[in-house]
Amino acid sequence: MRIDLTGRRALVSGSSQGIGLAIATELARSGAAVVVNGRDQAKTEQAAAGITKELPDAVVVPIAADLASAEGAESLQAEAGELDILVNNLGIFGAKPVLEIDDDEWRRYFEVNVLSAVRLIRMYLPGMMERGFGRVMNIASDSAVVTPLEMVHYGMTKTALLAVTRGYAKAAAGTGVTVNSVMAGPTHTPGVEDFARELVGDDLPWDEAQRQFMREHRPYSLIQRLIEPTEIGNMVVYLSSEQASATTGGAVRVDGGYIDSILP
Ligand SMILES: NC(=O)c1ccc[n+]([C@@H]2O[C@H](COP(=O)([O-])OP(=O)(O)OC[C@H]3O[C@@H](n4cnc5c(N)ncnc54)[C@H](OP(=O)(O)O)[C@@H]3O)[C@@H](O)[C@H]2O)c1
């Protein structure tokens, strides 16, 4: 299978680092023009420049906007124009005892992790349906189906994204537009590397450190290592392609087998 996204225009929300940046890079590698986004202008420009340094022919447009707000989403849309591929990657996470999560924090998680995606889908889905092609992907997590006690508010948003995905896929039925969730598992991002180092210490080389982290703290992983962000990018590239036309309304796992169940 050869995937060619030439002529497609994509947006990856929250892509100035981590998984989003890897997704944007892989979409660009496959030929799509990509909008890279984050709140910080300089960091967003740097991320875009990093992609074009690696892929000199790539069309990469940095647009700084806070997508947790309606105004931010509107300003991004004004600059980005129409899209064929929308990747709702933006997501925040952090540990907090569940009895200490107050109303404002519940609302903040919902606004950033769910409403940001819903707004962009509302903006872009009608155009995709009219043109008869579109790919929407919401980056969910193993936490969508295995609620983590240390971040129930985060898990709630990822569960919600699965429902949002199914609902908008139904809204796009028969139009050539697909809407899917990608359930990422424990992934090697700077934040997760720091977290793993905190738990297993600084002495071991990274490869050993991450294996110890996985063995002791993520024992259900079947690959027994962290997932590389590019591995998630590869799945997004596939789901963005013409070839993935019969996959919609579902949740696709890139979790290294971490979720101990046959179905999501
Ligand atoms: N890391 C994991 O192991 C893991 C596992 C499963 C699922 N996931 C999911 O994968 C996605 C990406 O995670 P990650 O770990 O790669 O994230 P990350 O490293 O924390 O990166 C977050 C990105 O979002 C941007 N951002 C934050 N708030 C924003 C806002 N309000 N508007 C626009 N951009 C914003 C950040 O840039 P600025 O700060 O400059 O805005 C940054 O580029 C999330 O949905 C997460 O839940 C991650």
Side-chain angles (χ1 to χ4, degrees), residues 30 54 91 143 163 178 219 222 232 235:
S30 300
E54 186 184 339
S143 299
T178 67
L222 300 183
I232 297 166
M235 177 61 83

Side-chain angles (χ1 to χ4, degrees), residues 121-251:
I121 294 172
R122 260 190 338 230
M123 280 176 177
Y124 287 110
L125 198 65
M128 292 177 180
M129 287 163 60
E130 227 173 86
R131 292 189 299 277
F133 180 89
R135 298 286 185 258
V136 177
M137 283 144 284
N138 299 315
I139 306 302
S141 161
D142 53 86
S143 299
V145 293
V146 186
T147 306
L149 180 56
E150 73 284 6
M151 40 183 192
V152 176
H153 51 346
Y154 172 73
M156 172 277 292
T157 64
K158 295 300 179 183
T159 310
L161 277 180
L162 303 188
V164 165
T165 300
R166 183 73 195 162
Y168 281 108
K170 284 182 176 176
T175 64
V177 178
T178 67
V179 186
N180 290 290
S181 297
V182 175
M183 294 171 58
T187 302
H188 183 197
T189 55
V192 170
E193 182 166 339
D194 290 349
F195 178 64
R197 283 289 186 195
E198 264 171 45
L199 292 172
V200 303
D202 282 331
D203 311 336
L204 297 171
W206 169 245
D207 198 47
E208 267 176 66
Q210 66 154 323
R211 283 181 190 281
Q212 185 178 331
F213 166 74
M214 295 302 286
R215 230 179 10 255
E216 292 175 1
H217 302 279
R218 298 288 183 271
Y220 294 121
S221 165
L222 300 183
I223 57 173
Q224 298 185 354
R225 61 168 173 82
L226 287 168
I227 297 152
E228 288 303 321
T230 301
E231 297 178 287
I232 297 166
N234 291 339
M235 177 61 83
V236 170
V237 166
Y238 169 66
L239 290 174
S240 299
S241 70
E242 293 272 5
Q243 289 94 325
S245 46
T247 300
T248 189

